[in-house]
Amino acid sequence: MSPPATAYLVARSGTTVFIRSTGLANMKNAPMLDVFLSTEIEQGATTACIDLSACSGMDSTFMGLLVGYAKQMDVSAGRLVIVNPSPANLRLLQMLGVTLVVPVVEKQDPPDVDFITLASDPQMSPLQRMEMVQRAHQNLIKVTEANEGKFSTFLVALEKDLVKLRAKPT
């Protein structure tokens, strides 16, 4: 049996956006989430509900984006909340300290909204993708000291790659 295809199902009701992650939520598909949340916040969304009930797994880039958007929305009196994580995903969220920053509701009935599949990958250059991955991991490092130990070597290597990429003529 093949793993479920990854997609983000989205809906909006008033100033609340609903995002249901299906399949793996990771650095490969994180740009879709990043662009969507950024656009929705610019268009007045004040609440984001991230439903992980159909999420088979997630990586640090995805979790770091959630931390960043939760903090951004908190500054403007909004909020980002995670709902319905599986026990394994809840452990991952706790392990990286995401639950210290982002409220988690373990059992939430689905909203009465019509979800649509988020359009495929946005046009992001390799530089923009790497900067998004960097930003996500910097968000995680700010959450707990333990995360600095987990991601500092990765971020140093990523920064070296970014310096090289930025130096290339376009």
Side-chain angles (χ1 to χ4, degrees):
M1 181 194 234
S2 62
T6 300
Y8 292 107
L9 305 176
V10 298
R12 183 166 179 160
S13 178
T15 59
T16 300
V17 292
F18 300 94
I19 300 153
R20 181 174 295 146
S21 174
T22 65
L24 266 176
N26 58 24
M27 93 167 50
K28 183 179 177 186
N29 54 47
M32 293 177 2
L33 178 66
D34 188 33
V35 170
F36 177 76
L37 281 171
S38 176
T39 301
E40 290 298 314
I41 291 168
E42 284 175 16
Q43 295 176 356
T46 59
T47 303
C49 180
I50 313 295
D51 185 341
L52 300 180
S53 60
C55 181
S56 59
M58 54 194 169
D59 72 3
S60 54
T61 299
F62 173 78
M63 290 185 278
L65 280 179
L66 296 184
V67 167
Y69 280 106
K71 288 183 173 189
Q72 179 182 340
M73 293 181 89
D74 190 48
V75 167
S76 60
R79 86 182 210 149
L80 183 142
V81 62
I82 296 170
V83 301
N84 302 321
S86 68
N89 283 340
L90 181 57
R91 275 192 303 280
L92 288 171
L93 294 165
Q94 291 167 335
M95 185 173 67
L96 292 184
V98 175
T99 56
L100 300 172
V101 179
V102 183
V104 176
V105 178
E106 291 185 50
K107 300 285 185 215
Q108 173 94 21
D109 291 333
D112 186 20
V113 293
D114 293 325
F115 283 91
I116 60 168
T117 302
L118 190 57
S120 64
D121 223 3
Q123 296 300 312
M124 261 192 185
S125 70
L127 176 64
Q128 290 170 315
R129 282 179 177 274
M130 288 175 73
E131 288 172 338
M132 180 210 57
V133 170
Q134 179 185 46
R135 186 179 74 232
H137 287 83
Q138 288 169 337
N139 291 337
L140 290 172
I141 281 179
K142 292 175 188 171
V143 174
T144 69
E145 275 186 43
N147 285 348
E148 187 163 354
K150 291 174 187 169
F151 300 116
S152 61
T153 302
F154 170 72
L155 281 171
V156 167
L158 185 61
E159 183 56 39
K160 287 179 184 176
D161 289 344
L162 281 166
V163 167
K164 288 178 193 174
L165 197 54
R166 289 178 183 130
K168 284 185 180 178
T170 52

